[in-house]
């Protein structure tokens, strides 16, 4: 794909910042729109350090239609990657209206601003959470969808919204990337995931135990119907995931309408396998106890990656050991995240 101007919503966040690095490295100009509700401009400074040039940054909330239109007025945007959204499953149960407001209203405003400026090419951050509890693994994109949390439903409804838009107006070309479990960090260790408060997700929790910020990891459930009794997930390195966005942007030229694509490695790892790999990367045991199941967890989720290979011409290159090494490298260099 020739160099273009890519607008990245949520570009200061975890996956967005890694994608900005890859976009800049590929020669694209990058415009970031982020309200910094879950991120910091330090991440963008570090993106510039890695890439040797910077993004154009606009501190704008997607719900601010006027400010968003000004960004499109200021830049000749070719394509959009839309990461911006709230993503904590538990929080979405407590404050669902805020999730619908932020994620759905933000997306509607983005689509209106794009159409007003004749931009119709979009890559959207969806999630494997739209599959709910899958009946069959590996999961193909044609599996039934039905999310179980307000967060998951915002993803589901946005997917439907984008399908409806594409059905009504053939100019829309959209790739819905359904991420599995992103972990890891840029190999420089200068950008990475910086969760606020106590992390909900396995890898950041394990790494905060390793660095001494948290005492022990709780392994949720040891009695699942899996080989070692713990849940299986498809962990994917965030740099591979970032590359999948470049591949998806390129694939927009080859698709019509709206296409959903799984982004995983196709390999499942159990919680205990992750703990072992993380301990190996850290060079010390990560203290952990097997405790009760966490409500809402499904036993086994991993991706069928066939469509990513055929449609995006992309597949993951990095494995669990790479993910743990790079996540630890980031955590060790930045024990308190961007606040270090
Ligand atoms: P993140 O919180 O690090 O990044 C999201 C960014 O969007 C943040 O910088 C935040 O400040 C910004 N943002 C939120 N609402 C905004 C708004 N209204 N206007 C402007 N900016 C706004 O999250 P992430 O892990 O990088 O995830 C990116 C996307 O991928 C999200 O849509 C998330 O739901 C989706 N996703 C993430 C995961 C994961 O495990 N991290 C898994 C599946 C899907
Ligand atoms: C969760 C979300 C999913 C979201 C994803 C983003 C739920 C039900 N799903 O996925 O919607 O897209 O995060 O990253 O919340 N675990 C422990 N101890 C911990 C933390 C996790 O044992 O302290 C286990 C969990 O039980 C699970 C596995 O580790 O089996 C992965 O958990 P997590 O990282 O939270 O991801 P998901 O639950 O797969």
């Amino acid at each position: 794909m020739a160099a273009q101007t890519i607008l990245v919503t949520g570009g200061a966040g975890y996956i967005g910042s890694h994608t900005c690095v890859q976009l800049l490295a590929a020669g694209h100009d990058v415009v970031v729109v982020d309200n910094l509700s879950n991120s910091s401009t330090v991440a963008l400074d570090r993106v510039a350090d890695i890439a040797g040039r910077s993004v154009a940054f606009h501190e704008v909330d997607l719900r601010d239609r006027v400010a968003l239109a000004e960004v499109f007025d200021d830049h000749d945007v070719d394509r959009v990657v839309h990461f911006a959204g709230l993503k904590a499953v538990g929080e979405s149960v407590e404050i669902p209206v805020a999730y619908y407001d932020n994620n759905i209203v933000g997306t509607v405003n983005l689509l209106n601003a794009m159409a007003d400026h004749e931009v119709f090419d979009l890559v959207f951050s969806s999630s494997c959470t739209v599959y709910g509890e899958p009946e069959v693994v590996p999961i193909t994109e044609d599996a039934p969808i039905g999310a179980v949390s307000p967060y998951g439903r915002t993803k589901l409804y946005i997917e439907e919204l984008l399908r409806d838009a594409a059905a009504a107006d053939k100019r829309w070309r959209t790739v819905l990337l359904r991420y599995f479990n992103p972990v890891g960090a840029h190999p420089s260790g200068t950008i990475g995931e910086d969760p606020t408060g106590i992390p909900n997700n396995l890898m950041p929790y394990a790494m905060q135990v390793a660095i001494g910020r948290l005492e022990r990891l709780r392994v949720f459930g040891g009695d699942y119907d899996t080989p070692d009794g713990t849940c299986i997930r498809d962990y994917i390195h965030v740099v591979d995931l970032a590359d999948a966005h470049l591949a998806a942007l390129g694939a927009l030229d080859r698709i019509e309408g709206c296409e959903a694509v799984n982004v995983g490695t196709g390999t499942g790892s159990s919680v205990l396998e992750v703990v072992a790999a993380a301990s190996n990367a850290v060079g010390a045991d990560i203290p952990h106890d097997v405790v009760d199941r966490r409500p809402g967890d499904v036993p086994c989720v991993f991706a069928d990656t066939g469509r990513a290979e055929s449609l995006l011409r992309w597949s993951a290159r990095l494995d669990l050991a790479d993910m743990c090494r790079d996540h630890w490298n980031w955590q060790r260099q930045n024990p308190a995240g961007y606040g270090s």
Side-chain angles (χ1 to χ4, degrees), residues 14-15 34-35 37-39 61-62 83 87 102 151 155 182:
Y14 172 45
I15 306 167
D34 199 304
N35 66 0
S37 61
N38 195 37
S39 54
D61 191 303
L62 289 186
F83 293 103
K87 62 164 184 175
N102 193 81
Y151 162 71
K155 293 293 178 196

Side-chain angles (χ1 to χ4, degrees), residues 9-16 33-39 60-63 82-87 102-103 106 124-128 151 155 179-182 193 201:
T9 77
Y14 172 45
I15 306 167
V33 171
D34 199 304
N35 66 0
L36 303 179
S37 61
N38 195 37
S39 54
V60 165
D61 191 303
L62 289 186
R63 290 164 296 181
H82 177 29
F83 293 103
L86 299 176
K87 62 164 184 175
N102 193 81
N103 295 2
F124 171 63
S125 301
S126 189
S127 167
C128 69
Y151 162 71
K155 293 293 178 196
Y179 311 157
F180 281 65
N181 289 59
E193 186 174 13
N201 298 116

Side-chain angles (χ1 to χ4, degrees), residues 15 19 177 179 182 236-245 263 314:
I15 306 167
T19 303
L177 292 181
Y179 311 157
I236 173 160
H237 197 298
V238 67
V239 173
D240 273 335
L241 178 54
D243 283 336
H245 291 80
V263 191
W314 167 93

Side-chain angles (χ1 to χ4, degrees), residues 48-104:
D49 290 344
I50 297 169
R53 64 199 180 93
S54 30
V55 303
F57 174 59
H58 297 265
E59 186 176 341
V60 165
D61 191 303
L62 289 186
R63 290 164 296 181
D64 181 343
R65 299 177 76 138
V66 174
L68 189 58
E70 282 169 8
V71 176
F72 279 90
D73 290 341
D74 285 355
H75 301 274
D76 202 3
V77 173
D78 295 301
R79 296 180 181 197
V80 176
V81 184
H82 177 29
F83 293 103
L86 299 176
K87 62 164 184 175
V89 175
E91 186 183 63
S92 80
V93 177
E94 285 157 26
I95 49 167
V97 179
Y99 270 67
Y100 286 108
D101 182 42
N102 193 81
N103 295 2
I104 308 262

Side-chain angles (χ1 to χ4, degrees), residues 56-302:
F57 174 59
H58 297 265
E59 186 176 341
V60 165
D61 191 303
L62 289 186
R63 290 164 296 181
D64 181 343
R65 299 177 76 138
V66 174
L68 189 58
E70 282 169 8
V71 176
F72 279 90
D73 290 341
D74 285 355
H75 301 274
D76 202 3
V77 173
D78 295 301
R79 296 180 181 197
V80 176
V81 184
H82 177 29
F83 293 103
L86 299 176
K87 62 164 184 175
V89 175
E91 186 183 63
S92 80
V93 177
E94 285 157 26
I95 49 167
V97 179
Y99 270 67
Y100 286 108
D101 182 42
N102 193 81
N103 295 2
I104 308 262
V105 174
T107 301
V108 169
N109 283 353
L110 176 66
L111 298 184
N112 280 324
M114 287 175 68
D116 288 347
H117 293 81
E118 305 222 342
V119 180
F120 293 98
D121 285 332
L122 177 69
V123 175
F124 171 63
S125 301
S126 189
S127 167
C128 69
T129 197
V130 299
Y131 295 117
E133 179 159 1
E135 282 159 26
V136 181
V137 286
I139 308 170
T140 69
E141 290 81 353
D142 300 324
I145 51 178
V148 292
S149 70
Y151 162 71
R153 279 188 282 279
T154 68
K155 293 293 178 196
L156 204 68
Y157 299 155
I158 293 168
E159 285 201 1
E160 299 291 5
L161 168 60
L162 294 172
R163 262 188 284 273
D164 286 341
D169 184 336
K170 299 294 173 216
R171 288 175 297 175
W172 283 106
R173 298 187 297 187
T174 308
V175 176
L176 314 170
L177 292 181
R178 293 178 178 158
Y179 311 157
F180 281 65
N181 289 59
V183 296
H186 189 268
S188 65
T190 57
I191 57 172
E193 186 174 13
D194 184 16
T196 36
I198 296 176
N200 297 308
N201 298 116
L202 176 60
M203 186 69 81
Y205 202 109
M207 291 300 175
Q208 290 200 9
V209 172
I211 203 79
R213 275 173 78 177
L214 295 168
E215 216 166 301
R216 296 180 78 80
L217 174 72
R218 289 169 302 157
V219 173
F220 295 133
D223 58 353
Y224 285 97
D225 185 16
T226 59
D228 67 15
T230 65
C231 289
I232 292 173
R233 295 289 182 274
D234 187 340
Y235 298 91
I236 173 160
H237 197 298
V238 67
V239 173
D240 273 335
L241 178 54
D243 283 336
H245 291 80
L246 270 75
L249 286 164
L252 288 170
D253 289 323
R254 303 189 293 272
I255 67 162
E256 278 181 17
C258 187
E259 294 276 2
V261 183
N262 289 337
V263 191
T265 63
T267 302
S269 304
S270 74
V271 178
L272 289 179
E273 284 170 339
V274 172
V275 174
S279 298
N280 197 37
V282 167
D285 277 347
I286 294 176
H288 60 278
D289 307 296
V290 178
V291 302
D292 286 349
R293 294 180 176 195
R294 182 173 70 175
D297 278 340
V298 295
C300 182
V301 179
F302 59 96

